[in-house]
Amino acid sequence: MKPFSELTEQYLLELDLPTINTNKKITYINKECAFDIETTSTMYNDEKVAFSYIWMLGLGLGNDIFYGRTWKDLLTTLKLVQRVLGLHEERRLVIYVHNLGYEFQFMRKYFTWESVFAIDERKPIKALCSLGIEFRDSYILSGYSLENTAKNLTQFKVKKMVGDLDYSLIRTPKTPLTAVEMGYCENDIVVVLAYIKEQIMLSGCINRIPLTNTGRVRSYVRNNCYYDNTNHRKSSKGKYIRYRKIMNDLTLTPETYQQLKTCFMGGFTHSNPEHTNKVHRNVASIDLTSSYPSVMLAEKYPMSRPKELNVTSIDELKQYMNNYCIMFDVKLENVTNTLGYESYISESKCRNLSGAVVNNGRVFQAESLTMTITDVDFHIISKGYKWEKIAIKNVYGFMKNYLPKPIVESILNLYQDKTTLKGVEGKEVEYLLSKGMLNSVYGMCVTDVVKDNSVYESNEWGVETVDVVEKITEYNDSKNRFLYYAWGIWVTAYARRNLWTGILAMGSDYIYSDTDSIKTLNYEKHSKYVDWYNKNVHEKLLSMCDHYNLDPELLTPKTRDGIPKPMGVWEFEGNYDMFKTLGAKRYMVLEDGKYQLTVAGLSKKNGMDYIIESNDNDAEKIFNAFNDELYIPADKTGKMTHTYIDDEMKMAITDYLGNTEIVTSKSAIHLEACDFTL
């Protein structure tokens, strides 16, 4: 790395910095650039404080990386870049930051911001400053930590250095850094530069890189719905008009939108209370392949605007279910569980819940409860509960049919690429792209239609409340819309139903489930169910292909080794030597001599390492230590508590070498290791 003083006007003039114009009259410099800082968090006068002690800037992979120690140095450098490159609001340089929200909190008061786009308060993903520099977040684009982003590089191999910078040491802008520490700082920039260079190659130019991974799949599917994929132009007036007609029929009112939102539930995750907190041996694991994408192909969805139905009996409701996707409010009285080993109803989705017995967030029985559910949920609840009295109201039906053909074809294409390109030399980029996009297809369907805006103005974060009626009208009238919010509600409902066919089939052998997987005893006893399910889902997918006149071979692409990979089926993942769960998102396994820990909010590696070390690598002790009283000290968790500091602070800081320096921080984030307990 070179000091910022060596970044001269002549150096900038000699850089290869091509530009690209957009249809919005904005010119972008089409070059990968990256920025990063390193910070110290400590205590000063019994208060939490934090500040930056070095920044790094990269202007193109393979070029020199420059650094400075103060924000004044940075401003001097960026003003030079602005002047030489002629930057302004309509001629921009994009600089990527991995986790922009963190750096932004330290740098925000040093710049004048023209616009800040955030997905939530304190979570900016794009920020344009008055220097004509647009900071963007590479973390939300990749979806991976810097270490894993480095592992996923395909064209430019750069390894993320881990452990070379001891964050517990107090450093100031005057603290000398060793060659190893400087190498660590430089490496972080190189990883981001390599990643963005690959993204530019993939997208064609920097302005076509989406802000998020979901944005990428959104653009891909929208093009398939409206345009010719090869040139992003309308392939025919007829195609555009046909899809617009579909969207014009798929509208919502503020009331039906709110009911859909109340109706929405995610994946089902829970454990059998009879097997919880017990060590089991020879536990089988089965997984549904591409659960969400497969139900988007196999099942039928709301394909009309909601129609209020006058339903006077449960039998009448069931009749409507043959032709409609239905959502409704239901009140159950004296409801009791009929299974014993699992409960479907989520406590968090209940209103007016009284006299309830709840197991790890799931309602086992209750005197009374009210929920908003889909027809799919009703079928599952009917198989696991009985009640003395039921009342339904606000019943709305959507005519049901398969999702539009362009969306179906998009999912099939992505699944085909993900399967056939895995491990194929020279196709690493395409494989990773298709894998990421396939995983994001469902997510774009449940993007909230009405969401308050997080705004950053006058150096303050705030919330701009949106008008629901106005937002729904805008949604209904949008000429760019290609999705229907109601679809996402049924995607997860169908996926839960599929999972529950397994839970019901396994009976008392069932131990644990999480969205698309089941852990069970006596797997051989249940193999007939797996065969039945796999045959049934394949027949559903064939019916969809027949409906749209699609090649059935698309449902079972082959790997590079010629192995067929059917979509949506249960796959046997293997047997665990030992397995123990303490409840949802809390389990430990021993497989082939290796331990794995899954606990929400805890690093898998750090948590497991501590438990192993504390119990002499003895399997019995390790599994006994995994209990509800589990405690992991702060220095072993890898977890950090974030404290936002918004006030300017001036302090005399003594670094780890004993040198004292006056440090000013306008705003910051204090990080400290935190302990973990179950």
Side-chain angles (χ1 to χ4, degrees):
M1 280 201 302
K2 292 185 176 181
F4 74 97
S5 56
E6 294 188 30
L7 179 60
T8 62
E9 180 174 339
Q10 187 62 33
Y11 183 94
L12 288 167
L13 290 171
E14 291 175 0
L15 286 178
D16 176 29
L17 298 174
T19 59
I20 191 82
N21 295 318
T22 72
N23 57 5
K24 295 180 180 178
K25 297 181 180 179
I26 297 173
T27 300
Y28 282 98
I29 292 174
N30 195 34
K31 197 71 172 179
E32 65 282 356
C33 299
F35 174 73
D36 189 24
I37 64 173
E38 296 295 345
T39 65
T40 286
S41 292
T42 187
M43 300 296 292
Y44 182 72
N45 291 340
D46 295 327
E47 283 191 75
K48 294 178 180 180
V49 297
F51 48 86
S52 168
Y53 60 84
I54 188 172
W55 56 262
M56 296 77 66
L57 177 67
L59 303 172
L61 185 65
N63 295 332
D64 294 317
I65 291 170
F66 297 91
Y67 73 91
R69 305 300 299 268
T70 68
W71 291 107
K72 182 181 177 182
D73 296 343
L74 177 66
L75 290 170
T76 299
T77 303
L78 294 184
K79 285 176 181 176
L80 173 67
V81 171
Q82 179 203 25
R83 180 174 62 80
V84 176
L85 303 186
L87 303 179
H88 49 79
E89 193 169 348
E90 294 185 353
R91 179 181 167 86
R92 303 181 189 177
L93 177 71
V94 177
I95 298 180
Y96 278 88
V97 183
H98 211 72
N99 191 7
L100 177 59
Y102 184 75
E103 268 77 2
F104 188 80
Q105 175 63 7
F106 284 87
M107 67 196 285
R108 61 189 180 86
K109 292 185 180 181
Y110 289 96
F111 293 86
T112 300
W113 301 100
E114 301 294 338
S115 63
V116 175
F117 177 64
I119 55 171
D120 212 336
E121 187 174 356
R122 299 188 187 273
K123 291 184 179 178
I125 59 174
K126 183 172 76 170
L128 173 66
C129 73
S130 59
L131 297 176
I133 294 171
E134 183 177 292
F135 293 95
R136 290 192 187 181
D137 193 341
S138 53
Y139 174 66
I140 199 169
L141 174 64
S142 71
Y144 295 106
S145 67
L146 203 56
E147 182 179 357
N148 287 329
T149 299
K151 289 177 182 176
N152 287 332
L153 291 171
T154 57
Q155 304 290 316
F156 309 100
K157 287 299 182 183
V158 183
K159 188 177 180 182
K160 167 77 172 79
M161 297 167 69
V162 179
D164 291 321
L165 203 60
D166 186 348
Y167 287 100
S168 67
L169 299 180
I170 297 174
R171 301 180 181 87
T172 74
K174 289 291 179 70
T175 304
L177 301 179
T178 67
V180 171
E181 291 170 335
M182 292 292 278
Y184 180 95
C185 295
E186 180 178 19
N187 182 257
D188 283 2
I189 291 289
V190 176
V191 172
V192 177
L193 290 174
Y195 173 67
I196 297 303
K197 189 173 181 68
E198 289 189 356
Q199 295 304 302
I200 292 174
M201 294 168 65
L202 190 65
S203 302
C205 50
I206 200 162
N207 62 297
R208 286 188 183 166
I209 299 175
L211 289 177
T212 66
N213 197 40
T214 305
R216 178 178 279 127
V217 72
R218 188 181 290 273
S219 177
Y220 171 77
V221 179
R222 182 189 289 112
N223 285 336
N224 285 349
C225 292
Y226 284 124
Y227 306 110
D228 180 350
N229 243 1
T230 57
N231 58 19
H232 292 191
R233 292 179 182 174
K234 296 175 187 177
S235 53
S236 71
K237 189 177 180 181
K239 181 177 182 181
Y240 183 85
I241 291 173
R242 281 195 300 274
Y243 204 85
R244 280 298 335 138
K245 186 177 186 304
I246 293 173
M247 287 295 105
N248 289 338
D249 289 338
L250 303 183
T251 58
L252 299 170
T253 64
E255 293 74 25
T256 52
Y257 155 73
Q258 191 56 57
Q259 191 169 358
L260 280 168
K261 192 172 178 180
T262 306
C263 206
F264 172 70
M265 285 191 282
F268 183 88
T269 304
H270 208 237
S271 65
N272 179 346
E274 295 172 2
H275 292 312
T276 299
N277 209 6
K278 296 177 182 177
V279 179
H280 294 279
R281 297 180 184 273
N282 196 28
V283 173
S285 177
I286 57 173
D287 277 30
L288 283 169
T289 59
S290 299
S291 174
Y292 286 172
S294 67
V295 297
M296 292 178 76
L297 301 181
E299 305 296 342
K300 294 184 177 180
Y301 289 87
M303 289 301 295
S304 73
R305 62 195 63 185
K307 172 187 176 183
E308 189 165 12
L309 304 176
N310 183 23
V311 177
T312 57
S313 68
I314 296 300
D315 288 339
E316 193 176 0
L317 180 71
K318 290 178 179 177
Q319 281 295 111
Y320 274 121
M321 288 178 183
N322 293 324
N323 299 312
Y324 290 90
C325 289
I326 296 175
M327 66 173 174
F328 57 99
D329 296 338
V330 59
K331 181 179 180 181
L332 301 176
E333 294 184 25
N334 293 325
V335 55
T336 56
N337 187 295
T338 57
L339 300 176
Y341 63 86
E342 191 50 287
S343 304
Y344 179 78
I345 296 173
S346 174
E347 179 186 20
S348 65
K349 302 303 292 186
C350 292
R351 306 186 297 277
N352 306 318
L353 181 64
S354 65
V357 174
V358 179
N359 167 243
N360 193 204
R362 299 284 167 179
V363 177
F364 183 79
Q365 65 185 49
E367 292 175 5
S368 178
L369 60 84
T370 303
M371 294 180 296
T372 303
I373 60 174
T374 67
D375 52 309
V376 183
D377 296 309
F378 184 72
H379 282 305
I380 304 171
I381 291 169
S382 299
K383 291 180 183 295
Y385 295 89
K386 63 180 180 180
W387 49 83
E388 289 184 3
K389 191 175 179 182
I390 182 172
I392 59 174
K393 64 177 183 178
N394 297 327
V395 183
Y396 283 88
F398 304 77
M399 291 298 293
K400 63 181 176 182
N401 208 335
Y402 294 112
L403 292 177
K405 189 175 182 181
I407 291 181
V408 167
E409 290 175 319
S410 298
I411 296 170
L412 285 170
N413 290 340
L414 291 172
Y415 185 68
Q416 185 90 5
D417 287 349
K418 176 197 171 188
T419 305
T420 59
L421 300 179
K422 185 176 183 179
V424 177
E425 191 173 345
K427 293 292 183 181
E428 296 87 355
V429 175
E430 291 86 348
Y431 164 70
L432 283 171
L433 184 65
S434 59
K435 179 184 176 183
M437 289 170 66
L438 184 67
N439 292 339
S440 298
V441 165
Y442 150 72
M444 68 181 182
C445 294
V446 287
T447 301
D448 203 348
V449 179
V450 181
K451 187 181 178 186
D452 291 342
N453 298 322
S454 294
V455 294
Y456 184 77
E457 292 177 349
S458 305
N459 286 335
E460 296 288 342
W461 283 104
V463 176
E464 181 182 78
T465 304
V466 298
D467 182 272
V468 177
V469 175
E470 187 179 304
K471 206 70 179 174
I472 292 296
T473 302
E474 180 185 312
Y475 171 82
N476 290 336
D477 295 344
S478 171
K479 302 300 181 188
N480 207 27
R481 180 168 64 91
F482 65 103
L483 299 167
Y484 194 31
Y485 181 67
W487 294 344
I489 313 304
W490 267 264
V491 170
T492 54
Y494 286 130
R496 289 191 301 274
R497 192 251 350 250
N498 290 349
L499 183 77
W500 262 78
T501 64
I503 291 172
L504 292 168
M506 306 297 167
S508 59
D509 285 334
Y510 153 79
I511 298 176
Y512 182 84
S513 61
D514 187 348
T515 309
D516 58 2
S517 70
I518 286 179
K519 320 298 181 189
T520 185
L521 298 168
N522 304 312
Y523 174 71
E524 297 76 15
K525 193 172 80 175
H526 307 294
S527 59
K528 284 186 178 179
Y529 153 74
V530 172
D531 293 340
W532 165 83
Y533 179 90
N534 290 350
K535 181 182 178 184
N536 183 59
V537 76
H538 189 63
E539 287 174 353
K540 281 187 172 185
L541 288 164
L542 286 174
S543 296
M544 180 277 299
C545 285
D546 184 58
H547 176 80
Y548 278 131
N549 194 27
L550 294 170
D551 184 359
E553 293 294 316
L554 295 171
L555 300 171
T556 315
K558 295 178 180 178
T559 67
R560 67 170 186 170
D561 299 321
I563 301 170
K565 296 292 283 187
M567 192 181 215
V569 299
W570 282 113
E571 280 192 340
F572 176 69
E573 292 291 304
N575 281 313
Y576 301 132
D577 300 312
M578 298 173 74
F579 179 91
K580 183 179 182 181
T581 179
L582 302 177
K585 299 291 184 184
R586 290 174 288 169
Y587 63 88
M588 179 190 288
V589 307
L590 174 62
E591 182 180 18
D592 298 330
K594 294 182 179 179
Y595 295 94
Q596 295 175 35
L597 178 70
T598 297
V599 174
L602 179 66
S603 161
K604 293 186 178 189
K605 183 180 185 306
N606 292 55
M608 196 69 249
D609 286 349
Y610 176 76
I611 297 171
I612 291 172
E613 290 167 12
S614 304
N615 293 279
D616 307 318
N617 202 14
D618 180 283
E620 293 293 336
K621 288 183 179 179
I622 287 168
F623 274 86
N624 286 336
F626 181 57
N627 56 52
D628 286 334
E629 281 71 51
L630 176 68
Y631 174 80
I632 299 178
D635 61 333
K636 299 293 184 179
T637 63
K639 282 172 62 69
M640 304 295 281
T641 297
H642 290 55
T643 302
Y644 287 90
I645 303 167
D646 292 322
D647 297 326
E648 183 171 333
M649 303 189 78
K650 195 171 185 179
M651 49 224 143
I653 300 294
T654 301
D655 68 13
Y656 78 99
L657 297 172
N659 304 313
T660 301
E661 175 70 16
I662 301 298
V663 177
T664 300
S665 175
K666 291 193 174 186
S667 56
I669 297 177
H670 179 275
L671 299 177
E672 63 183 322
C674 62
D675 58 4
F676 184 87
T677 179
L678 281 171

